[in-house]
Amino acid sequence: MRSSRIRLEDVAEPGRLREAYLKAARGKAARADVREFAASWQERLEALRQSLLMGGWMPRGFTRFVIHEPKERTIHAPCFEDRVIHHALVDAAMGDFERWMVDDTYACRRGRGHAAAVRRAEEHARRHGWFLKLDVRKYFDSIPHVELMSALERRFRNQGVQELWRRIVMGYEANPGRGIPIGSLTSQMLGNFYLMGVDRACLEEMRVGGYVRYMDDMALWGAKDLLERAKDVVVARLEGLGLELKGNWHLQPTWRGMEFLGLRVYPDGCLLSRRSRRRMIRKWRTGQALWADGELGDAAWQRSLTALISRVRLAKKERIVGRLREEPGFVAIGLQPCEPRRQLEQRRQERALGQAEQERPGQPEQQPGLPPRPQLTSGSLPD
């Protein structure tokens, strides 16, 4: 498999750093660190570029906080300048990572994601009689730095890029010599990358009937004896990577249903898992009470409803939304979407005579403090 040809100069290219800055600042323009960077963004980007090229850049640390949904996790978010570097590196290396990974890996990849993984799992459940569900114990906290860097050095030949990866990987430890931070863009890419050998062992060595991986959640389908052998192969590969299989693995007939990504997958569709259903009802009750007391506005409550229902749309067999629709607060909001043509006519009538268009295609509103996106002209188009 061909190694990556990117160089440190490609990561530090001014246009790429500028685009990385825009991506890192998206949705965060009001934060103090972003506003501070935006006040002199050109000088700050040039300083980052020189620091990368001269080999002086070092990670500056993380902001630590804990989330409790869908389960308790400790998040370590890098500072804003480090996020800019991470975006630039991932942007430069994305094509190589996509070329190395198999199609059945769905986490944090453009054009795939959670919904596509569930649909693929449903397809395999319809075609096969048995499934094997596997998970890695404390995956992000258990990845060994030495083995990960060895894998990266085999793929990236440029020494400057190797050193950049090394500083990112070694800049965090959950345990001595182990761990990559949850909350970092590069960790998402590295988490997908590190289990590529397990993917190929299942698909090319064992030739299982079906396979889906969403980060460290793995699901295999096929004959029962084949899946039993595949489990032993996966355990051996994980041991070679310095990882351990979690003890809650399942080998069962598909008609019993497989818990996968918050859903229970059956051959004829999905239901919410018990934990997801309880979590949804709890959030619903809390939001409904806040809305009834006036502490949550109509628009905010409708956005919360939309977020809650979006996950249920994947569960074709789920009936909980139909029952919750009958409760107070669902229809009483009165913010149902209107017909698009009527919305356009209303906006046209409300616009003052002679007022300039504000939403022309290709001319997004510019956030204060952010550099404008480059515009292509006829002379700048590639031949």
Side-chain angles (χ1 to χ4, degrees):
M1 189 178 296
R2 192 177 68 183
S3 59
S4 174
R5 297 181 178 179
I6 68 167
R7 304 167 302 158
L8 192 59
E9 291 78 8
D10 299 324
V11 179
E13 197 271 326
R16 174 165 280 125
L17 284 177
R18 182 162 164 263
E19 188 67 22
Y21 162 49
L22 289 169
K23 290 179 179 178
R26 186 175 300 160
K28 302 179 179 67
R31 290 179 44 168
D33 54 346
V34 180
R35 294 174 66 88
E36 179 186 357
F37 194 100
S40 56
W41 64 270
Q42 292 173 310
E43 293 80 3
R44 300 286 287 269
L45 287 183
E46 179 60 24
L48 278 180
R49 179 173 180 271
Q50 294 299 327
S51 178
L52 281 174
L53 294 177
M54 299 299 293
W57 177 83
M58 294 291 292
R60 298 177 57 187
F62 301 89
T63 299
R64 180 184 178 276
F65 56 94
V66 179
I67 62 173
H68 299 276
E69 295 290 349
K71 61 182 180 181
E72 183 173 321
R73 290 177 178 173
T74 302
I75 307 298
H76 291 82
C79 70
F80 182 73
E81 286 192 0
D82 289 358
R83 290 204 303 271
V84 173
I85 299 297
H86 292 183
H87 274 281
L89 178 57
V90 168
D91 180 67
M94 178 68 74
D96 293 312
F97 280 112
E98 287 292 327
R99 177 165 49 86
W100 297 331
M101 288 187 286
V102 301
D103 291 338
D104 290 313
T105 301
Y106 286 86
C108 308
R109 296 181 68 185
R110 186 175 300 173
R112 290 179 172 80
H114 178 272
V118 172
R119 294 288 176 249
R120 186 64 168 164
E122 289 179 336
E123 179 183 337
H124 289 316
R126 288 191 293 268
R127 294 172 49 207
H128 302 283
W130 288 80
F131 74 84
L132 173 64
K133 175 66 172 60
L134 306 171
D135 194 2
V136 180
R137 184 183 300 278
K138 296 183 179 179
Y139 178 51
F140 277 77
D141 288 345
S142 301
I143 296 178
H145 293 170
V146 174
E147 285 79 357
L148 176 59
M149 280 308 308
S150 178
L152 288 170
E153 289 170 356
R154 290 195 298 269
R155 300 291 184 178
F156 294 91
R157 298 299 179 89
N158 183 271
Q159 293 185 355
V161 176
Q162 289 180 4
E163 182 58 28
L164 181 56
W165 278 119
R166 182 180 301 279
R167 295 185 181 188
I168 291 175
V169 170
M170 302 297 182
Y172 171 85
E173 281 187 336
N175 300 293
R178 290 178 178 268
I180 57 177
I182 300 176
S184 174
L185 179 64
T186 52
S187 295
Q188 299 174 10
M189 192 67 65
L190 294 175
N192 270 338
F193 166 78
Y194 195 57
L195 290 180
M196 289 193 310
V198 178
D199 298 338
R200 299 196 176 275
C202 294
L203 292 170
E204 299 172 5
E205 180 180 338
M206 297 305 301
R207 297 187 177 273
V208 296
Y211 180 78
V212 173
R213 177 166 70 87
Y214 196 90
M215 199 55 72
D216 61 313
D217 288 332
M218 293 170 280
L220 296 74
W221 289 264
K224 183 179 180 181
D225 57 344
L226 175 62
L227 295 180
E228 289 174 343
R229 298 195 303 270
K231 175 182 171 293
D232 295 335
V233 171
V234 171
V235 169
R237 289 300 182 102
L238 291 178
E239 289 178 353
L241 294 172
L243 302 173
E244 181 183 353
L245 186 68
K246 191 181 292 186
N248 63 346
W249 59 273
H250 295 286
L251 175 59
Q252 293 181 347
T254 54
W255 62 265
R256 292 187 177 179
M258 176 187 69
E259 288 207 12
F260 187 60
L261 305 181
L263 299 166
R264 195 165 186 88
V265 180
Y266 295 89
D268 59 341
C270 293
L271 289 171
L272 289 175
S273 67
R274 291 181 180 179
R275 180 181 298 178
S276 296
R277 187 181 293 107
R278 289 196 298 264
R279 184 166 60 248
M280 178 181 178
I281 293 175
R282 183 175 67 251
K283 288 185 175 181
W284 184 288
R285 301 298 187 199
T286 302
Q288 187 184 46
L290 293 174
W291 175 80
D293 294 340
E295 299 180 25
L296 190 66
D298 290 349
W301 178 219
Q302 188 173 24
R303 286 194 296 269
S304 298
L305 290 176
T306 302
L308 286 174
I309 295 172
S310 61
R311 176 64 63 90
V312 186
R313 289 174 181 171
L314 291 172
K316 297 179 181 178
K317 300 173 62 175
E318 188 60 62
R319 298 179 180 179
I320 187 173
V321 176
R323 295 196 299 269
L324 293 176
R325 283 178 187 273
E326 300 174 359
E327 298 199 7
F330 191 95
V331 182
I333 296 176
L335 297 178
Q336 303 298 328
C338 303
E339 182 183 357
R341 181 177 297 178
R342 292 180 58 189
Q343 290 181 345
L344 291 176
E345 291 175 354
Q346 183 180 6
R347 287 168 58 190
R348 189 180 301 113
Q349 294 171 1
E350 292 176 352
R351 186 180 298 118
L353 182 63
Q355 182 178 348
E357 293 277 356
Q358 296 295 322
E359 298 183 4
R360 291 181 180 176
Q363 296 182 1
E365 184 179 353
Q366 181 65 36
Q367 297 185 24
L370 299 185
R373 292 184 179 275
Q375 299 291 329
L376 287 177
T377 62
S378 58
S380 62
L381 293 176
D383 295 333

